[in-house]
Amino acid sequence: MKCNYIGDAWVGSSNASRNLNPSDLNDVVGEYAAADATQAADAISAAYGAFSGWSLSTPQQRFDALDFVGSELLARKAELGDLLAREEGKILPEAIAEVARAGQIFKFFAGEALRIQGERLASVRSGVDVEITREPVGVIAIITPWNFPIAIPAWKIAPALAYGNCVVFKPAEPVPGSAWALAEILSRSGLPAGVFNLVMGRGSEVGQALLNDRRVAAVSFTGSAATGMRVAQACAARMARFQLEMGGKNPLVILDDADLKVAVDIAVQGSFFSTGQRCTASSRIIVTDAIHDRFVKATVTAMARLRVGDARAAGTDIGPVADAGQLEQDLTYIDVAQREGATVAFGGTLLHREAPGLYLQPTLLTNATNAMRSSREEIFGPVASVIRVRDYDQALAVANDTDFGLTAGICTTSLKHAMHFKRNAQAGMVMVNVPTAGVDYHVPFGGRKGSSFGPREQGRHAQEFYTVVKTAYTSA
Ligand code: NAD
């Protein structure tokens, strides 16, 4: 059994969880100790105890630890990518790229640790200096979802440590393997005992214990909107800092003047790659009249070429759905959409492969309206709806008519429309002629409205969440 990491010890538990390979449910990936609320409290104690020392650590110490982790992730990307593909179900090239990205993120924040800056201003009073500095926040609880089992933990853990905080990390239940592998590397990175801790286990028990403990100064959460609301309420009740990244219902607008081939590629990649299980996936494809029929026909043709199968088999384009509960949710929405009047233009059914896996055909729904539940609620699977509109103005209105605001994309060759869309799309990230999913690791990531709350993640902007500002006045 793989254990939790608390203080500098690997700690077992009487309860274990087994994670299954969604490409082959007969394949048990591993057994992982399930922590309980007491072990969560122990991890917080360890982190709390380590904070006074780590908060004063030098930039060089932080650089060395983060750079070590980054280098090892990059060196082991093939091996860890295989584990990730096996437990989460994204295809091997995507999984390897995710591990590499996690490595790059650690390297980026290793550099940031050397570049923590302050400001010095002239005071309005003579003989007084004013300095503005950034200090670490304290113990940070990091709670993550299953769909990016190593990149999301990386983009929270790396800045937390770079800016001098201590971490208690709780990964999502279906993907303890990638989390454990990352923790194991961190355990050898030279961090003092207690600076980083891993507690695997149920959200309702371990996660909730982290939210309620007054020694946890801040919570960085990525996951569903429903859990995000719980995080917000628990943190607000005790005035803890929190940051939420939640769902999306991302629009991709295709205008008459789009390059059809580019538009189809972007729609297929954005909607169905990673089995559509990306918060940034295109789920509402909003298409103007004159290109609509050609776009649907070409997209269906492209979808028919996608090979759905074992995530680790050569040639697979789309892996399985990550777990049984998610598959049920996908099928329910496909059914609901049809009852509401949408048409399944492609897909919609389960696929059977040699091994028992959670295989769903990528699904394109046409004749959809923006009022349908399938257009308003996050599905989080390989399912996208095509909504037909008159013109650009209507497309923009439909794109913005949503409770979410993570990414918004447009395919057009019109500079005028591209510029207008960039300015007026109500989303944290706007994509012109690139897929709604797929972002750089050195620039801010986050959304608006129901998709996000709090400062941005990633890039230099991450310091807003992971530091507190101090203003000091000095007179000699
Ligand atoms: P989830 O909300 O079910 O779980 C997320 C995490 O919260 C897990 O670690 C879970 O154990 C924990 N949790 C559950 N209940 C808790 C509680 N009461 N207290 C504390 N923690 C608790 O989400 P999921 O199913 O793992 O992930 C899918 C969701 O994540 C989708 O909605 C997706 O859009 C979202 N997501 C968002 C982004 C983004 O950056 N916006 C990125 C990836 C995924």
Side-chain angles (χ1 to χ4, degrees):
M1 188 200 304
K2 298 259 171 43
C3 295
N4 291 297
Y5 185 62
I6 300 173
D8 61 355
W10 292 99
V11 183
S13 147
S14 48
N15 291 323
S17 73
R18 286 156 26 123
N19 59 343
L20 301 180
N21 175 353
S23 298
D24 177 358
L25 297 172
N26 291 328
D27 176 26
V28 177
V29 181
E31 283 214 341
Y32 296 85
D36 56 18
T38 308
Q39 287 179 329
D42 290 346
I44 296 167
S45 299
Y48 197 71
F51 180 65
S52 56
W54 184 246
S55 62
L56 299 175
S57 56
T58 63
Q60 189 65 49
Q61 274 175 289
R62 300 179 196 174
F63 174 91
D64 289 345
L66 297 178
D67 191 58
F68 172 91
V69 177
S71 296
E72 185 155 333
L73 288 169
L74 289 167
R76 291 174 59 197
K77 66 182 181 181
E79 170 211 342
L80 297 177
D82 187 72
L83 169 66
L84 199 163
R86 186 170 162 214
E87 76 170 350
E88 197 271 349
K90 68 181 56 164
I91 60 171
L92 203 48
E94 290 173 335
I96 292 171
E98 182 180 334
V99 176
R101 180 175 173 174
Q104 288 158 336
I105 289 167
F106 270 93
K107 293 261 178 194
F108 175 86
F109 282 107
E112 286 302 281
L114 299 173
R115 286 189 286 268
I116 299 171
Q117 292 175 359
E119 291 171 67
R120 186 151 179 246
L121 278 77
S123 170
V124 294
R125 287 171 281 171
S126 74
V128 176
D129 279 349
V130 187
E131 286 163 307
I132 303 164
T133 51
R134 288 184 177 272
E135 296 184 352
V137 180
V139 175
I140 314 254
I142 287 175
I143 302 178
T144 55
W146 48 260
N147 64 327
F148 283 94
I150 206 157
I152 292 179
W155 80 53
K156 295 178 187 295
I157 294 168
L161 297 176
Y163 295 113
N165 302 285
C166 293
V167 167
V168 180
F169 167 39
K170 197 215 85 66
E173 291 90 321
V175 288
S178 301
W180 189 90
L182 177 59
E184 195 279 324
I185 298 171
L186 277 152
S187 77
R188 290 184 283 104
S189 66
L191 291 171
V195 171
F196 170 81
N197 305 272
L198 168 75
V199 279
M200 301 173 284
R202 292 214 320 275
S204 54
E205 184 173 6
V206 178
Q208 196 66 45
L210 300 179
L211 301 184
N212 293 342
D213 196 307
R214 303 198 80 81
R215 294 170 299 171
V216 173
V219 178
S220 181
F221 167 84
T222 299
S224 63
T227 313
M229 183 57 80
R230 279 206 193 94
V231 174
Q233 284 167 346
C235 290
R238 60 183 186 83
M239 299 285 189
R241 186 181 273 229
F242 59 97
Q243 170 186 60
L244 311 174
E245 290 298 342
M246 300 168 288
K249 199 67 204 172
N250 308 298
L252 172 65
V253 170
I254 314 280
L255 295 187
D256 293 348
D257 60 28
D259 177 317
L260 184 64
K261 186 175 172 320
V262 169
V264 170
D265 277 357
I266 285 174
V268 169
Q269 274 196 46
S271 304
F272 307 119
F273 282 25
S274 300
T275 322
Q277 296 168 157
R278 296 188 283 195
C279 50
T280 49
S282 317
S283 60
R284 296 180 298 137
I285 308 177
I286 301 163
V287 189
T288 48
D289 252 339
I291 196 171
H292 177 277
D293 293 354
R294 278 182 296 141
F295 170 79
V296 169
K297 187 161 175 257
T299 302
V300 165
T301 305
M303 290 174 73
R305 285 198 290 265
L306 295 174
R307 286 155 299 186
V308 180
D310 189 310
R312 294 186 296 157
T316 302
D317 296 306
I318 310 278
V321 173
D323 79 3
Q326 182 61 54
L327 179 60
E328 198 183 313
Q329 177 166 313
D330 298 345
L331 291 169
T332 303
Y333 273 110
I334 293 168
D335 186 47
V336 166
Q338 290 177 87
R339 286 168 202 264
E340 287 180 307
T343 309
V344 174
F346 187 85
T349 52
L350 293 174
L351 294 170
H352 296 285
R353 296 288 178 258
E354 213 172 297
L358 304 172
Y359 298 110
L360 175 62
Q361 259 185 323
T363 303
L364 191 71
L365 300 165
T366 50
N367 296 318
T369 71
N370 204 41
M372 293 175 176
R373 269 186 65 199
S374 48
S375 299
R376 306 215 69 84
E377 298 169 16
E378 185 182 48
I379 301 175
F380 214 55
V383 183
S385 303
V386 177
I387 300 170
R388 186 195 278 261
V389 291
R390 221 173 28 248
D391 55 16
Y392 170 74
D393 290 340
Q394 194 185 5
L396 178 65
V398 170
N400 285 338
D401 177 13
T402 171
D403 293 337
F404 295 101
L406 193 56
T407 59
I410 190 166
C411 292
T412 180
T413 51
S414 153
L415 183 59
K416 181 177 138 205
H417 286 138
M419 287 183 67
H420 191 270
F421 190 77
K422 271 196 283 188
R423 176 74 59 87
N424 293 287
Q426 293 165 4
M429 294 170 286
V430 180
M431 315 296 196
V432 179
N433 295 323
V434 286
T436 57
V439 293
D440 287 4
Y441 66 86
H442 66 305
V443 291
F445 177 96
R448 297 184 184 177
K449 302 201 266 187
S451 288
S452 300
F453 184 90
R456 287 287 183 262
E457 301 202 79
Q458 301 196 58
R460 280 188 49 223
H461 288 67
Q463 68 178 340
E464 296 303 330
F465 184 72
Y466 292 103
T467 60
V468 280
V469 167
K470 178 178 276 175
T471 312
Y473 298 87
T474 312
S475 173

